[in-house]
Amino acid sequence: MWLDGDLVHIEDLVLHDAGADIRAPTHELTLAARLLRLRRIVERQDHDWVFSRAGLLALAGRAGQTRSSEDETPFTPEPADAILDDEADETSREDDLLAEIDAIAERAQKLAESAVSAAGRSTVSNIGAVRQNDLDILLRDPDHDETRLLNSWHRVVEDTRALPPVLGAAILLDAWLVLDPLERRTELGRLIASAALRKSMTPNHLPLVAVGLRQSKFRWRRSDPVQTRLSMLLTGLEVGALETMEQMNRLHFARERMMRQCQNCRRNSKLPQFVDLFVAHPFVSIPLARKKLKVTAAAVDRMLEQLGPALPRELTGRGRYRAWGVL
């Protein structure tokens, strides 16, 4: 979200994900929750599904828009000259698009000023369909050839299979940002790069690609040469790997600090298991601890007191329905 210019507090996202909001969710928080769901979907699915056309459309929220088997055409890579010719015609297409937008705006104004009789319900529905078509044209580029761009991006996927995993992930992300096969879905490119790294580099988790790109001092720009763009992305991946190690160290030190409070506890005490809950979950509440440890609420209160200064930060800031977490 930060890369796109939006800020969301991690505490608000954790509480919203657990259904324990302390304030009304904002638009940015709703988008962040949607991105979190997409990340979990990518984590649950295998590598081939994420890179398939059906998987990409499902991640974009258009799962039912895959083509039928009768209309399906085999993938044939396009020559590089064709792609360059399309880029050369971009200026003329932009002029045509601006003229078309002006015509749409004028037509919409005429529709708004026209009087519709109460008996002509069919006319009202037709006007609504026209307005919906005009809105689709305003929101989507009519010259955006999604099939061709997806085929071009899949050609890049095939070309990167023999490359080192980190370099291949950077090339896949750069190609996604340049081609933009699914309009205005740049966040999917970062998730796909994470999925590519998970296959051969980090099989147990999705790397923090977006966090590394945000903390890097470089920013991706389409106007830069491809070598500069790839160097920036590789630097971001390196920063993300270092950030992952720092997060692991934070969890390790937090667990050690809490485990020191368990040295004098009884052998059958569940305080060590309570400590492990803070490492495994970003959000730990009294009902969650009761369910996981099968103890009473009073026992959870005693364990919270036993942790003392090692107790993780309280997230809700209220007297009831409190929660703690290592964030």
Side-chain angles (χ1 to χ4, degrees):
M1 296 291 294
W2 200 327
L3 285 173
D4 296 330
D6 296 321
L7 298 179
V8 176
H9 291 289
I10 189 64
E11 295 88 345
D12 292 340
L13 179 59
V14 169
L15 294 173
H16 179 76
D17 183 61
D21 299 270
I22 58 177
R23 60 180 65 90
T26 62
H27 176 66
E28 291 77 12
L29 181 59
T30 304
L31 292 178
R34 180 177 62 83
L35 292 178
L36 181 60
R37 288 194 297 269
L38 290 178
R39 182 178 178 87
R40 287 171 174 167
I41 292 174
V42 172
E43 287 179 333
R44 290 195 300 265
Q45 300 294 337
D46 56 19
H47 178 269
D48 294 334
W49 182 89
V50 174
F51 284 81
S52 65
R53 177 184 174 85
L56 293 175
L57 291 178
L59 292 175
R62 297 155 50 191
Q65 298 185 19
T66 56
R67 293 176 296 178
S68 63
S69 58
E70 297 179 356
D71 299 334
E72 189 74 23
T73 56
F75 164 65
T76 55
E78 293 185 3
D81 295 341
I83 300 177
L84 294 177
D85 293 340
D86 292 336
E87 293 179 354
D89 296 338
E90 183 177 356
T91 303
S92 61
R93 288 203 306 267
E94 288 181 355
D95 295 339
D96 296 339
L97 179 59
L98 291 175
E100 188 174 2
I101 291 177
D102 293 338
I104 291 172
E106 183 179 356
R107 186 164 65 250
Q109 181 66 23
K110 292 181 180 179
L111 289 174
E113 294 175 354
S114 62
V116 181
S117 61
R121 296 188 178 181
S122 60
T123 305
V124 174
S125 62
N126 292 335
I127 293 177
V130 172
R131 288 179 176 174
Q132 182 62 40
N133 293 334
D134 293 344
L135 181 61
D136 292 339
I137 294 176
L138 289 173
L139 295 178
R140 295 182 178 274
D141 184 0
D143 296 326
H144 186 83
D145 191 348
E146 183 178 281
T147 301
R148 179 183 65 83
L149 294 175
L150 278 176
N151 287 342
S152 299
W153 184 79
H154 278 109
R155 179 163 62 92
V156 177
V157 174
E158 295 296 329
D159 293 341
T160 57
R161 293 189 183 277
L163 296 178
V166 178
L167 178 59
I171 293 176
L172 287 179
L173 178 54
D174 181 74
W176 185 275
L177 296 175
V178 171
L179 295 174
D180 192 21
L182 301 178
E183 285 188 277
R184 293 181 292 276
R185 300 308 300 268
T186 56
E187 71 278 1
L188 294 184
R190 303 173 195 132
L191 288 176
I192 290 170
S194 299
L197 290 174
R198 183 187 61 171
K199 181 182 180 182
S200 54
M201 296 290 293
T202 58
N204 296 322
H205 72 284
L206 286 178
L208 300 177
V209 171
V211 173
L213 295 177
R214 175 180 63 82
Q215 295 188 353
S216 174
K217 60 181 179 180
F218 304 105
R219 288 295 178 265
W220 186 92
R221 292 180 298 185
R222 187 189 298 268
S223 58
D224 290 336
V226 62
Q227 296 86 353
T228 303
R229 299 199 307 264
L230 291 179
S231 177
M232 186 280 299
L233 293 176
L234 290 173
T235 302
L237 294 177
E238 180 184 7
V239 173
L242 296 176
E243 175 67 16
T244 301
M245 296 304 299
E246 291 181 3
Q247 295 293 340
M248 292 296 295
N249 290 335
R250 286 183 61 252
L251 288 175
H252 177 69
F253 293 147
R255 185 178 185 277
E256 280 191 345
R257 187 170 63 252
M258 289 185 287
M259 289 301 293
R260 292 195 189 102
Q261 306 297 322
C262 304
Q263 294 177 355
N264 299 325
C265 63
R266 294 176 297 179
R267 182 176 301 178
N268 61 346
S269 174
K270 292 193 175 183
L271 187 59
Q273 301 177 33
F274 186 55
V275 169
D276 290 335
L277 281 181
F278 288 104
V279 180
H281 299 273
F283 175 99
V284 176
S285 61
I286 293 180
L288 175 64
R290 290 180 54 192
K291 179 180 178 181
K292 295 291 185 179
L293 303 179
K294 296 180 173 57
V295 296
T296 62
V300 177
D301 288 334
R302 286 195 299 270
M303 288 188 287
L304 290 172
E305 293 177 359
Q306 286 178 311
L307 289 179
L311 181 66
R313 182 157 53 97
E314 205 275 326
L315 303 179
T316 58
R318 56 194 180 194
R320 302 182 62 186
Y321 308 109
R322 303 171 70 193
W324 299 262
V326 183
L327 298 180

